[in-house]
Amino acid sequence: MSTRNQVINFQTLRTLANVDGFYLLGYAWLFGMSLWITFFGGVIAFRALPRHQFGALQHKVFPVYFVQSILLSGGLLAFWVFKHPDVTTHVFKPWYADVAQAYALGTVLVGQGLNYFVVGPMTSRIMFKRQKQEKEEGKAYNDADVSAEMKALNRQFGSLHGISSLFNLAAVIALGIHGLWIGNVGVKGY
């Protein structure tokens, strides 16, 4: 029977529950979540909420996002290496397609790991220090005549936020590249 005219029944539905199918679901979850957080959810929240509430929301959302990114990208990477054993043999040859895909997933894992364990906590600490300083000075962080301490906090926050954004953008790009690859070649190994 041609797949074009395949009948859907319990048996055909059962065959959908396989490792390759779950890989694609995990990838879709990770890429969709990354796109939403990066380009939509944060922008909507920034426009809809007062700055302090926006900061409090991001402080709660981003750790969950980073943990899910770490777990999903780590699982996808482990599965990819298992299904493509040449990755371990040629790990230092990123021009090999299967190795390049492992590098893409590794980029997500490392970048979001750094965001979760290092950059995110540092950014949150500076954000809360800046909010405290605003209360003490009775001025917004971006007023022209803020203290030198506030200016230093602003620089630190800007730098950390920029680093976090770059790690996140690298993850989104790496996932996009991986998605184009698996969309054209598939996930099946050998």
Side-chain angles (χ1 to χ4, degrees):
M1 176 187 265
S2 151
T3 57
R4 193 170 185 177
N5 296 319
Q6 189 171 3
V7 176
I8 296 177
N9 57 36
F10 181 72
Q11 183 61 29
T12 58
L13 290 176
R14 225 176 62 191
T15 63
L16 296 176
N18 61 56
V19 180
D20 292 343
F22 288 121
Y23 183 93
L24 289 174
L25 286 176
Y27 169 78
W29 176 0
L30 179 57
F31 189 50
M33 175 180 64
S34 298
L35 287 174
W36 176 259
I37 292 288
T38 304
F39 298 113
F40 301 102
V43 174
I44 292 167
F46 181 76
R47 290 181 179 165
L49 296 172
R51 188 171 46 84
H52 288 238
Q53 288 178 357
F54 171 72
L57 176 67
Q58 297 296 79
H59 177 69
K60 296 294 185 185
V61 168
F62 271 95
V64 174
Y65 165 59
F66 294 144
V67 166
Q68 287 185 33
S69 294
I70 291 164
L71 293 174
L72 287 165
S73 62
L76 293 173
L77 178 58
F79 174 80
W80 189 264
V81 171
F82 176 75
K83 293 281 280 196
H84 303 87
D86 65 324
V87 169
T88 56
T89 307
H90 303 292
V91 71
F92 297 111
K93 297 177 181 173
W95 53 90
Y96 284 28
D98 289 342
V99 177
Q101 296 313 303
Y103 276 37
L105 295 169
T107 297
V108 179
L109 180 62
V110 170
Q112 301 301 44
L114 287 169
N115 264 334
Y116 180 72
F117 291 108
V118 180
V119 181
M122 290 172 67
T123 304
S124 290
R125 255 191 317 277
I126 297 299
M127 177 186 71
F128 290 126
K129 279 185 183 179
R130 193 166 74 162
Q131 289 176 359
K132 182 180 176 198
Q133 190 68 26
E134 282 180 314
K135 284 182 182 178
E136 289 174 8
E137 292 183 21
K139 298 176 186 173
Y141 76 99
N142 57 355
D143 284 352
D145 59 341
V146 294
S147 68
E149 185 177 348
M150 178 65 84
K151 289 177 182 176
L153 289 171
N154 287 340
R155 280 191 300 278
Q156 288 176 325
F157 180 81
S159 294
L160 290 168
H161 185 267
I163 291 166
S164 178
S165 296
L166 285 175
F167 284 151
N168 194 58
L169 185 59
V172 170
I173 292 168
L175 287 168
I177 291 167
H178 185 61
L180 291 171
W181 182 263
I182 62 177
N184 285 286
V185 178
V187 298
K188 295 201 182 301
Y190 36 86

